């Protein structure tokens, strides 16, 4: 798999002259635009670009498999070097390395930070149509009746509706496979980006980016020069249109356990007498959120930062996908109606991720379970402090008459308190939101809008003030104090986090157009 | 294992002269009492009785393992024959056989039916201290620090605190091991029972006795002669005192599934918008029973048969074990306080046997589960009709705004109804209660009280109007129209349905005393 890795590519693409810097060349505006150069280069090298992507996808990349992710990171480091950037691995014992890189442009007065994660979600190969690290090309999506086809040879025509199936195709190796050709195209054409570039490729994103902050500290000086971070991650808008998003919700997991007797009891011998843990938990959960989805925990909505006029305008201009989405998902109602999904993503959420107590179905037994456990999924928005929100939840549980503990109660505690709840978890990652009014952000919007117009039609770009999911954006926005914009390129139906993950080739081409546009934005703000 | 089975025992005990009948002999009251005869015989043969019990316990007996249970049933049939009864297997293709037996006493004017089940709960040997079908003798219970000891040789002293550990030791092979020595003792002493005996040994009790009714029909004529059924099953009262119980609750399992989107959705991307199945289920379950344990389903308590003065007196005389039981089980409260456990067993119960939705703990994921499922455990009491109770529950769920279905909803249904609940299950087995005022019952109470006085001290017998658990008593009381009394002999801490099931030797000796007393009750009622 690795035998003809980076070296093959390096020889095909020409070795980098001087890693990490690039000769100052004529302003691209003076001749061919960066986007045109990258487009032409892509059109001349489609099979090669796809083959490079295929090779990148063969690297297993679950964050906890240190040997695997180190191989993948080393391979990517060498790819960056071959594309003319300086690059190195940042390492901490026992955790996945980060790939750091830099490309300095003499005379550039702006620095773009580029975040990608090269690690992937765990896989259960038995649920995949093909082995997840043996990339397979399809004539179209499986759902649309696509069938496996051979990878193209150089010069073969490439259909943009093809899909490449493999773990991380959509989340998040696609951006790596797209940004490198842009760098090669620029070098070959003798043009330079209009910004310095700092690359940070996370190897632990799917495992919570627990060490990303430490890696960032290792290169604090270089990262401090970044003017705006671009997060190359995530899918297109559900409408299929490209999007930019300006924030993510934070995530916090908590778990609540309620107690009955010290052991499961026979539901015949003790039913009607011993506390019914499922019912106790039901009353508690029901007290936390009403039937329409409004969280009843006191203070829940009090610390949400208000949005500005740009965000409000963006919300109003977003495609109305409610009806389609409800039809697709089989829903006759949604929480908080008539508010829309994008609006609902700007307020903190409290959901039940899971409940376990006894068993159901064929495994159900005639017992009254001695515990009932609920895993709560909390999503935070800008303004929420995780510790404060956790406190609100604990206060609520206490307000429902529970004695709250952090460990399983001992006998003395059991005999003293009628209702006991163990509450664990908390922490998690904070929310982040970048004001759309920020001038660097306005530049990114303009460049992305141009690329989207070109790839998907005029006015196709969707501006979404907040994403529902969670990325470690806060490290960049709140800890490092920089604006950060999420710049997704994957098709909406890329099956991220699921079997048969894929990337549509048209989206890879869009990424190349887009990154070329971003890397050659006019030298504005500085 | 079977090489020296029944034949060895038969030769030791003397072959039956004429199977199924017994010579009419002098009334035992005229000479030595039946109880004295059995006691003396037991004292002379303790090691042999224990060894016979050991052998019986080596037979694997999970109801669905037809070959195993057929071997066990055949062995038991031969034991009955060796003890002078006529006996045969009743068979239905593909299910565990029942062992039927009869011992006619010329001149007897009363017929006792004796129900035992020879099948046992499934076992997971990895949870057992010793293999469950390799009986192991202990010097005391494991909890009391007992250690394994060799089985005694004939003539060795036997400590009544010894325990024999094996699956079905307490539930329910012990009664078989105790009733056979009584028959042998009587034959050897030349005395006869004062009643005809009909034996019915169920092979499917732990699997719900699904075919017991059919087996009963196969011997309907003989069974119709039974005046009262004695259920030799179950443990002593929680206080450790012997007991008689006069009814069981019925059991009905139902399952409720509520629906969100057609698939699990990412809790970040969709949380606050897609229906939160855990919360929906919580509101539904909370609506069914209040925090103090009172069922809120309309009509729930309306069809409960009232109890009579004998039952009320029995309730008042039962040992007050509430405080001890709560202390043992770590409970600071119980449902329906200040009503006691025995009182609570005389009203229908609605409990949550299990809930499954998504996952908790290390397996929790950032999803909003597309379903939440609750397994409901319903216990019926005399007067309740299962179909009616099921209807009450369905009506309640509909009253909570749910569209109730019996299969997973199709897309059209999903898009039409905001709240959908699939309700499955129902049926189950009815409750049964025998009036304590019945004259046959009064005879049983008198004889058992005598045996209990002798074994455990004067006034030790507890009379419990209803047990919480479920036995197929209704087939005898409601279908066949006979009184039926549950006559337990196992120690309270016999670990029935659990690993390390055991019987205390003292309880085996009590069973022999008790059965001898029951089989030689004065010829009263008839």
């Amino acid at each position: 798999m690795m035998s003809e890795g980076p070296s093959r590519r390096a020889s095909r693409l020409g070795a980098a002259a001087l890693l990490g810097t690039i000769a100052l060349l004529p302003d691209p505006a003076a001749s061919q635009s960066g986007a045109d150069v990258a487009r032409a280069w892509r059109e001349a090298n489609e099979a090669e670009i796809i083959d490079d992507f295929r090779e990148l996808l063969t690297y297993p990349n679950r964050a906890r498999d240190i040997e695997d992710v180190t191989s993948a990171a080393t391979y990517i480091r060498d790819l960056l070097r071959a594309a003319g950037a300086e690059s190195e691995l940042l390492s901490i014992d026992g955790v996945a390395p980060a790939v750091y890189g830099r490309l300095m442009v003499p005379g550039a007065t702006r620095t773009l930070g580029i975040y990608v994660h090269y690690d992937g979600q765990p896989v259960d190969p038995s649920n995949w149509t093909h082995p997840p690290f043996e990339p397979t090309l399809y004539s179209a999506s499986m759902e649309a009746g696509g069938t496996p086809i051979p990878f193209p040879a150089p010069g073969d025509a490439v259909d943009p509706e093809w899909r490449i199936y493999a773990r991380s195709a959509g989340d998040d190796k696609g951006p790596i496979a797209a940004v490198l050709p842009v760098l090669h195209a620029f070098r070959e054409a003798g043009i330079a980006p209009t910004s310095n570039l700092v690359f940070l490729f996370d190897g632990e994103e799917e495992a919570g980016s627990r060490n990303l902050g430490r890696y960032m500290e290792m290169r604090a000086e270089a990262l401090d020069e970044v003017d705006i971070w671009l997060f190359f991650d995530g899918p297109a808008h559900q409408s299929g249109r490209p999007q930019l998003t300006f924030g993510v919700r934070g995530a916090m997991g908590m778990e609540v356990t309620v107690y009955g007797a010290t052991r499961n009891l026979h539901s015949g011998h003790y039913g009607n007498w011993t506390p019914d843990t499922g019912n106790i938990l039901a009353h508690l959960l029901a007290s936390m959120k009403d039937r329409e989805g409004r969280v009843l925990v006191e203070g829940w909505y009090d610390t949400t930062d208000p949005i500005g006029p740009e965000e409000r305008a963006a919300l109003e201009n977003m495609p109305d996908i409610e009806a389609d989405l409800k039809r697709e998902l089989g829903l006759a109602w949604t929480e908080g109606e008539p508010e829309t999904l994008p609006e609902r993503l700007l307020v903190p959420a409290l959901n039940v991720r899971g409940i376990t107590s006894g068993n159901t179905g064929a495994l159900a037994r005639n017992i009254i379970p001695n515990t009932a456990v609920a895993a709560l999924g909390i999503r935070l928005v800008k303004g929420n402090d995780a510790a404060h929100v956790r406190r609100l939840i604990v206060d609520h549980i206490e307000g429902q008459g529970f004695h709250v503990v952090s460990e399983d109660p001992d006998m003395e505690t059991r005999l003293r308190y009628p209702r006991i709840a163990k509450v664990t978890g908390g922490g998690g990652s904070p929310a982040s939101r970048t004001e759309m009014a920020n001038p660097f952000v306005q530049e990114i919007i303009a460049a992305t809008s141009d690329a989207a117009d070109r790839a998907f039609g005029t006015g196709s770009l969707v501006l979404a003030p907040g994403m529902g999911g969670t990325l470690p954006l806060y490290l960049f926005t709140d800890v490092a104090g920089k604006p950060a914009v999420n710049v997704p390129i994957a098709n909406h139906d890329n099956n991220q986090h699921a079997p048969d993950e894929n990337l549509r080739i048209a989206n890879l081409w869009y990424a190349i157009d887009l990154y070329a546009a971003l890397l050659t934005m006019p030298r504005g703000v500085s």
Side-chain angles (χ1 to χ4, degrees), chain A:
Chain A
M1 183 172 70
M2 299 187 60
S3 59
E4 53 156 14
S7 57
R8 175 167 65 85
R9 266 103 213 127
S11 66
R12 179 160 79 214
L13 301 165
L18 179 58
L19 283 182
T21 64
I22 202 158
L24 184 60
L25 290 157
D27 191 290
S31 59
Q32 207 187 7
S33 81
D36 289 337
V37 164
R39 172 72 72 99
W41 199 88
R42 182 263 289 176
E43 286 173 353
N45 294 281
E46 291 187 345
E48 292 86 346
I49 295 168
I50 291 172
D51 190 55
D52 287 350
F53 189 21
R54 184 200 57 70
E55 175 110 3
L56 177 63
L57 291 169
T58 61
Y59 284 78
N61 62 343
R62 192 174 71 149
R64 72 173 65 170
D65 299 332
I66 305 297
E67 202 172 321
D68 281 350
V69 281
T70 303
S71 291
T74 304
Y75 178 72
I76 293 165
R77 178 200 65 191
D78 293 346
L79 291 177
L80 273 174
R81 289 178 177 172
E86 72 180 38
S87 181
E88 62 182 319
L89 299 195
L90 305 181
S91 298
I92 296 170
D93 253 13
V95 304
V99 182
Y100 167 79
R102 199 159 70 144
L103 186 67
M104 301 302 287
V105 181
T109 50
R110 177 179 49 204
T111 301
L112 300 180
I114 293 174
Y115 171 96
V116 174
H117 68 89
Y118 72 86
D119 70 316
Q121 278 276 316
V123 289
D124 177 354
S126 67
N127 295 326
W128 286 65
T129 306
H130 303 280
F133 297 107
E134 294 180 17
T136 309
L137 196 64
Y138 266 65
S139 59
S141 75
M142 291 181 183
E143 294 73 18
T147 51
I149 54 173
F151 278 87
D156 284 358
V158 168
D159 182 342
E161 289 307 322
W162 288 355
R163 303 251 179 155
I164 187 161
Y165 282 86
R167 170 54 85 219
S168 298
D171 178 27
D172 184 30
K173 286 178 175 173
I176 300 173
V179 77
L180 293 167
V182 172
L183 297 179
H184 286 297
F186 284 6
R187 283 177 37 157
E188 201 164 278
I191 64 170
T194 52
S195 308
N196 297 317
L197 304 176
V198 169
F199 299 97
L200 189 60
F201 292 179
D202 190 358
E204 283 197 313
E205 200 272 342
E206 300 295 1
S209 296
R210 291 201 179 79
N211 297 285
L212 182 59
R214 291 169 69 191
Y215 284 134
M216 289 172 71
E217 280 168 25
M218 289 184 190
R219 291 298 173 273
E221 206 173 321
L223 268 55
D224 196 45
E225 288 168 17
V226 169
D227 293 303
I228 184 165
W229 278 94
L230 305 180
F231 268 61
F232 289 175
D233 192 11
H237 187 259
Q238 286 103 326
S239 62
R241 287 165 53 183
Q243 67 175 345
L244 282 181
T245 65
F246 303 90
V248 293
R249 293 201 285 194
M252 178 165 70
M254 291 176 69
E255 199 151 290
V256 181
T257 305
V258 301
Y259 298 86
T262 46
R263 59 175 193 266
N264 293 336
L265 291 180
H266 191 284
S267 60
H269 299 321
Y270 295 98
N272 253 10
W273 181 85
T274 197
D276 174 2
T277 49
N279 182 261
I280 293 169
L281 185 66
H283 277 284
L284 177 57
L285 293 176
S287 76
M288 298 174 89
K289 189 159 90 173
D290 73 16
R291 290 168 203 249
E292 281 68 48
R294 184 166 178 85
V295 177
L296 302 172
V297 173
E298 203 176 320
W300 188 256
Y301 298 106
D302 293 354
T303 58
T304 299
D305 273 6
I307 56 173
E310 290 80 4
E311 283 78 12
R312 207 173 310 280
L315 282 174
E316 278 163 22
N317 288 328
M318 288 185 71
D320 180 3
I321 55 159
E322 297 289 310
D324 284 348
L325 202 55
K326 286 166 71 174
R327 200 172 308 115
E328 178 197 334
L329 296 171
L331 294 173
W333 74 292
T334 55
E335 288 193 351
E337 286 178 325
E339 285 179 39
T340 64
L341 175 55
E343 291 171 312
R344 298 289 296 167
L345 299 182
L346 295 172
V347 286
L350 176 60
N351 280 285
V352 179
R353 297 196 296 164
I355 307 179
T356 48
S357 181
N359 246 315
T360 62
L363 296 172
R365 295 181 56 206
N366 281 328
I367 57 162
I368 297 175
N370 61 342
T371 60
V373 184
L376 304 178
I378 294 133
R379 295 287 166 165
L380 307 169
V381 299
K382 194 164 161 69
N384 297 158
D385 172 71
H388 173 71
V389 171
R390 187 186 199 282
R391 186 68 242 167
L392 294 180
I393 291 173
V394 170
D395 286 350
H396 177 89
I397 295 171
E398 287 176 344
Q400 293 293 310
F402 287 86
H403 174 67
V404 172
V405 295
S406 55
E407 303 280 342
D408 285 332
D410 59 18
M411 206 50 155
E412 194 187 332
T413 305
R414 285 174 172 276
L415 293 173
R416 181 178 304 165
Y417 300 100
R419 262 76 169 181
I420 302 171
K422 178 175 74 171
V423 179
T424 57
S429 62
S432 163
R433 188 156 56 76
T434 287
E435 306 291 337
M436 291 173 64
N438 178 293
F440 285 109
V441 173
Q442 289 292 320
E443 289 187 317
I444 302 297
I445 293 174
T448 307
S449 187
D450 284 349
D453 286 353
R454 190 167 181 173
F456 296 98
T458 305
S460 60
L461 183 65
V462 175
L463 302 178
M467 284 212 315
T470 296
L471 294 170
L473 272 183
Y474 74 98
L475 289 172
F476 302 86
T477 55
D478 293 60
V479 179
K482 309 288 187 179
V485 179
N486 185 245
V487 185
I489 60 97
N491 37 298
H492 167 52
D493 58 349
N494 74 104
N495 291 339
Q496 70 180 69
H497 293 207
D500 295 337
E501 181 176 348
N502 66 85
L503 191 74
R504 183 170 157 255
I505 297 300
N507 286 67
L508 190 62
W509 296 168
Y510 165 60
I512 291 173
D513 284 357
L514 170 61
Y515 298 165
L518 291 169
L519 266 54
T520 54
M521 289 187 298
R523 294 197 177 85
V525 175
S526 53

